[in-house]
Amino acid sequence: MLTRYSALLAVVTVFAAPAAGRASDPFAETVDKANRKLVKIFGAGGFQRLNNYGTGIVISSEGHILTVASQLLDTSDLVVHMHDGQRLRAQVVATEPLLDAALLKIKVEGKKIDEPNGLNLGEKEYFNFEEAVKRGPAAPGDWVLALSNTFEIALREESLSAQRGVISAYTKMAGRRGIFEFPYTGEVYVVDAITNNPGAAGGALLTRKGELIGIIGREIKNTLTETWMNYAIPITGKVEFRDRVTVKDKDGKDVEEEKTVAVTIPDFVRAAMKGEYKTRKRPDIAAGQGGYHGIVFVPNVLERTPAFVEDVVPGSPADKAGLRPDDLVSFIDGEPVVSIKAFGDFMRKNTRAGTVVRLEVRRGEALQTIEMTLGQHPAKPKPPTTPAPPPVGKK
């Protein structure tokens, strides 16, 4: 954590330079303009490892604020500090944990949250969200700026902290917070700057021109490397998951069917602004065996026996997906498979019949990606019944 504070001091030194030196800084004007479109958020928390401060991005003239879905919002006394020092009340309009996104709105005395509040912020005081969405994602190698209320350095009219970096990767999220898996599993920008500090969540990731491209995320660790992540969720972020929906069968009867459902940040924002958004709920995974795959692994005789395939059951999901004997299952849905036990634990915890899993399989010297749709476990055969012996004296 020492490196985080060291990086922060460097950031503050660069962007808190005297006004005379700022003219030569090509990003100074961009940072000043972007700072007007962000707010400092204060809410629930204030005790160990749960900060009561964060950051938000203003995206409408009525003061709609896009931020992350953190514990900070679990209060009726939510306050935002504007760039000019105004201290205003705010209210949660909607949250979507699967996107780690929340939409707030500044409250005006005498106005309900679902009606125009007459705030009428100027164009220089909020980001045009629809224009930002149309731009599409940035690419690895692009220079970026990150603005946020890192370590609660900014209060009232003070400027937010700014950092400059490069997008290292645009890739799938694989993170956790504490012992809990992180709900967002879509694409993220991995940034080569220490962006995700306390208070930074909900801040803005910008192009070098000050265009909004992402929302700085919370402090989480990468489950693959156990290192702290520095990332932002694209404002076009999307999550896909399997959901059970009710449909009509050929006889007109209602039946449940599992389908792939997508939820995106743009759709969330548009519906939430209209007061029409309903939080999505990922279907509960049934505890027990998990989905059926039909893989027969080599004998599990060691503490960490590698997940080598010995055989596949004919007609099983593994057979249909193309798995073969001697394949080594290395990853499942991005998680490393260090042993047969780890594979089984993942299946029981995260899958059921109908779940689609993505396997990274080493076959010879090559690594192949295989998608497999899991099925229902076959019914166990009933034990044979032994006829009762005849009574004594009778044949």
Side-chain angles (χ1 to χ4, degrees), residues 45-333:
F47 43 94
Q48 188 175 15
R49 296 198 66 79
L50 285 177
N51 303 305
N52 65 344
Y53 57 93
T55 317
I57 303 166
V58 185
I59 58 170
S60 81
S61 62
E62 292 194 335
H64 286 96
I65 299 165
L66 184 61
T67 187
V68 297
S70 70
Q71 99 294 331
L72 186 70
L73 310 180
D74 295 335
T75 177
S76 58
D77 191 24
L78 201 59
V79 174
V80 298
H81 291 183
M82 306 293 285
H83 72 94
D84 57 3
Q86 289 188 76
R87 184 178 182 276
L88 303 173
R89 300 288 297 276
Q91 185 171 327
V92 177
V93 177
T95 61
E96 181 44 78
L98 292 178
L99 294 168
D100 197 30
L103 189 72
L104 319 181
K105 188 179 180 183
I106 293 174
K107 292 179 65 176
V108 174
E109 192 69 30
K111 298 288 185 179
K112 295 182 179 179
I113 197 67
D114 58 350
E115 65 181 12
N117 59 16
L119 194 61
N120 294 326
L121 296 175
E123 290 184 1
K124 295 182 179 180
E125 296 179 295
Y126 66 92
F127 287 98
N128 187 318
F129 183 77
E130 292 299 334
E131 278 188 10
V133 169
K134 291 176 184 177
R135 265 182 228 109
D142 287 353
W143 283 95
V144 290
L145 297 170
L147 267 71
S148 67
N149 193 15
T150 294
F151 296 112
E152 199 183 7
I153 286 178
L155 288 171
R156 304 301 285 266
E157 74 277 7
E158 293 171 321
S159 298
L160 295 168
S161 299
Q163 288 179 282
R164 181 174 61 189
V166 174
I167 294 176
S168 297
Y170 182 61
T171 185
K172 284 281 188 182
M173 164 66 82
R176 67 177 171 83
R177 185 171 175 83
I179 61 172
F180 302 102
E181 296 300 317
F182 196 61
Y184 179 77
T185 56
E187 305 285 346
V188 294
Y189 295 119
V190 179
V191 186
D192 75 337
I194 303 173
T195 52
N196 297 68
N197 288 299
L205 189 72
L206 312 169
T207 67
R208 61 195 304 170
K209 296 179 180 179
E211 299 161 333
L212 178 65
I213 57 173
I215 309 161
I216 297 174
R218 292 185 275 171
E219 296 174 272
I220 64 170
K221 281 189 174 182
N222 187 311
T223 56
L224 306 181
T225 62
E226 287 301 311
T227 55
W228 290 100
M229 293 186 65
N230 294 293
Y231 74 98
I233 298 174
I235 56 168
T236 54
K238 178 175 74 171
V239 171
E240 292 184 345
F241 61 98
R242 301 289 290 179
D243 196 9
R244 298 193 73 81
V245 296
T246 302
V247 297
K248 299 286 186 182
D249 65 8
K250 60 181 181 180
D251 299 321
K253 295 181 180 179
D254 288 339
V255 294
E256 278 199 343
E257 184 177 290
E258 196 166 79
K259 288 187 174 182
T260 298
V261 178
V263 55
T264 71
I265 289 179
D267 289 344
F268 162 70
V269 168
R270 292 166 188 144
M273 280 187 171
K274 297 176 183 177
E276 300 173 354
Y277 191 81
K278 293 184 179 179
T279 302
R280 307 303 298 262
K281 183 180 179 183
R282 189 186 295 271
D284 295 329
I285 299 297
Q289 294 176 295
Y292 172 65
H293 49 77
I295 301 173
V296 180
F297 287 109
V298 297
N300 190 11
V301 294
L302 303 174
E303 183 179 350
R304 295 181 67 170
T305 304
F308 277 106
V309 178
E310 184 172 271
D311 202 357
V312 294
V313 176
S316 67
D319 186 27
K320 294 175 182 176
L323 282 163
R324 303 175 187 171
D326 295 329
D327 283 347
L328 173 63
V329 180
S330 301
F331 293 88
I332 178 169
D333 285 351

